[in-house]
Amino acid sequence: MSQESDNSKKNFLYPKVNYRGELTPSNPNNLVFNANLQEFAQKVVYICGLETNGKVSSDEAYKQIKQLWHQLKTSKKELLDRQDEEST
């Protein structure tokens, strides 16, 4: 398989959107959180697809998404809430 074909497949399976929010060189936390948010969304899509096709149960899908949500929530607290506290 060619490199171009591999890149095309990767871009299809793992799409990334350019960050359009506020970004300062001294504090890249918004960019990092945005990457975490995109990863969360992509994983939820995969889990929903697996559940829809009967590969995982509804309960298992819920547990996995709940775990991902807690990870995202922790990421927000560490990156953005701390940033807000430091700026005040």
Side-chain angles (χ1 to χ4, degrees):
M1 209 177 245
S2 71
Q3 182 70 23
E4 186 176 312
S5 177
D6 286 343
N7 286 338
S8 176
K9 192 182 300 183
K10 183 179 179 183
N11 289 337
F12 176 76
L13 292 173
Y14 309 106
K16 296 288 181 188
V17 178
N18 292 336
Y19 180 68
R20 298 186 191 276
E22 185 179 330
L23 181 63
T24 59
S26 62
N27 196 348
N29 291 348
N30 291 343
L31 181 64
V32 174
F33 180 73
N34 181 269
N36 292 344
L37 184 60
Q38 286 190 45
E39 183 179 353
F40 167 80
Q42 189 66 44
K43 288 180 178 181
V44 168
V45 167
Y46 286 141
I47 292 168
C48 290
L50 290 170
E51 190 275 333
T52 300
N53 288 309
K55 303 296 182 185
V56 297
S57 69
S58 296
D59 288 338
E60 180 61 28
Y62 175 81
K63 288 176 188 174
Q64 289 180 13
I65 292 172
K66 187 175 179 180
Q67 180 182 12
L68 290 171
W69 175 253
H70 287 296
Q71 290 172 358
L72 183 65
K73 205 170 166 181
T74 300
S75 169
K76 180 189 176 288
K77 285 180 184 177
E78 291 175 356
L79 295 169
L80 301 181
D81 292 347
R82 183 170 22 127
Q83 174 183 327
D84 291 341
E85 290 171 2
E86 291 173 357
S87 67
T88 57

